[in-house]
Amino acid sequence: MSSLSAPNVTSTDLNAEVFEKLARARLLAEPPLINGTHASGDDDLNPDAGIFSSDVRHAAVLIPIVAHAPLSVILTERTGHLSSHAGQIAFPGGKVETDDASPMAAAVREAREEIALDGSFIEPLGYLPTYRTGTGFIITPSVALVRPGFHLVPDPAEVADIFEVPFQFLMNEANHKIDSRTWRGNERRFYAMPYGERYIWGATAGIIRALYRRLFSA
């Protein structure tokens, strides 16, 4: 695990150089064990819900921090016909395949397939601890700095839209709301970060919350 010693900064202080130093200091340098303790997940706000599926699948997502001034984060809107998480806001990502060298490699591959983000623009920085979803995924969040100049094209089979959100907005705890819905007959609470017409919630919001805690609450 990487050392948590790092400059005492806030999200308002960050440019690409400062963010890279902070991320390398506080993120995990190596992928976390998927059969280890999950530091966060859909049960964070529902500790007694018993929502986890026994059919566990390993996935990886890319958290692409774009080195704009100010920093921004690339997110996608999933198409409405997908079998899981249809229409939701998501990071690029998907199943970790047996021939992927690492979860980061899987996340970079998925970003290329889903939104045509060329790997030459991506600088991997590290990992968050795994995030477990109620739909049976153990997700390895892979954080990277993305150099501007890329051209994105959504895969129409998976991605309805691509957009960017200011990093400072996502790293402001005041924007981390707690909402609830009824799911399988029970009330389920979750993090949500509404941004304009975009409703960022569920696992994506939970991973953003985990990134905030790792960078600024450790």
Side-chain angles (χ1 to χ4, degrees):
M1 178 180 293
S2 297
S3 169
L4 294 183
S5 60
N8 183 21
V9 298
T10 68
S11 61
T12 58
D13 300 323
L14 293 184
N15 56 29
E17 181 180 1
V18 175
F19 169 72
E20 181 175 358
K21 290 179 180 178
L22 178 68
R24 291 192 184 281
R26 294 199 168 179
L27 296 175
L28 303 175
E30 300 295 331
L33 297 175
I34 63 171
N35 58 351
T37 301
H38 308 292
S40 57
D42 286 350
D43 64 338
D44 285 359
L45 300 175
N46 308 277
D48 301 319
I51 61 175
F52 286 139
S53 167
S54 59
D55 180 21
V56 174
R57 293 157 288 175
H58 185 203
V61 298
L62 186 70
I63 305 178
I65 313 296
V66 185
H68 289 318
L71 301 173
S72 63
V73 181
I74 299 172
L75 289 168
T76 70
E77 178 185 336
R78 293 168 62 83
T79 56
H81 64 266
L82 294 173
S83 59
S84 63
H85 307 288
Q88 292 185 15
I89 304 303
F91 292 111
K95 181 181 177 182
V96 177
E97 304 290 353
T98 55
D99 56 350
D100 287 320
S102 65
M104 181 70 74
V108 171
R109 172 182 56 76
E110 288 283 348
R112 182 180 67 251
E113 294 173 358
E114 291 183 7
I115 61 174
L117 178 58
D118 193 290
S120 63
F121 290 92
I122 298 173
E123 178 64 32
L125 299 179
Y127 299 94
L128 290 173
T130 53
Y131 184 99
R132 187 170 182 178
T133 75
T135 52
F137 288 97
I138 295 178
I139 300 174
T140 301
S142 309
V143 183
L145 192 64
V146 180
R147 177 172 56 83
F150 51 81
H151 176 63
L152 303 181
V153 180
D155 175 1
E158 296 189 63
V159 177
D161 198 11
I162 308 167
F163 60 99
E164 295 180 30
V165 177
F167 183 69
Q168 183 178 336
F169 174 87
L170 297 176
M171 295 296 103
N172 184 345
E173 191 174 20
N175 297 323
H176 299 181
K177 313 299 183 183
I178 296 177
D179 284 352
S180 66
R181 292 182 180 177
T182 300
W183 188 61
R184 296 181 180 176
N186 296 308
E187 183 184 33
R188 176 184 168 190
R189 303 169 74 223
F190 52 83
Y191 286 108
M193 299 159 193
Y195 179 72
E197 63 181 12
R198 310 288 187 177
Y199 186 68
I200 305 166
W201 71 288
T204 300
I207 290 171
I208 292 169
R209 173 74 177 180
L211 179 63
Y212 161 77
R213 291 179 61 85
R214 189 77 185 186
L215 293 181
F216 302 109
S217 296

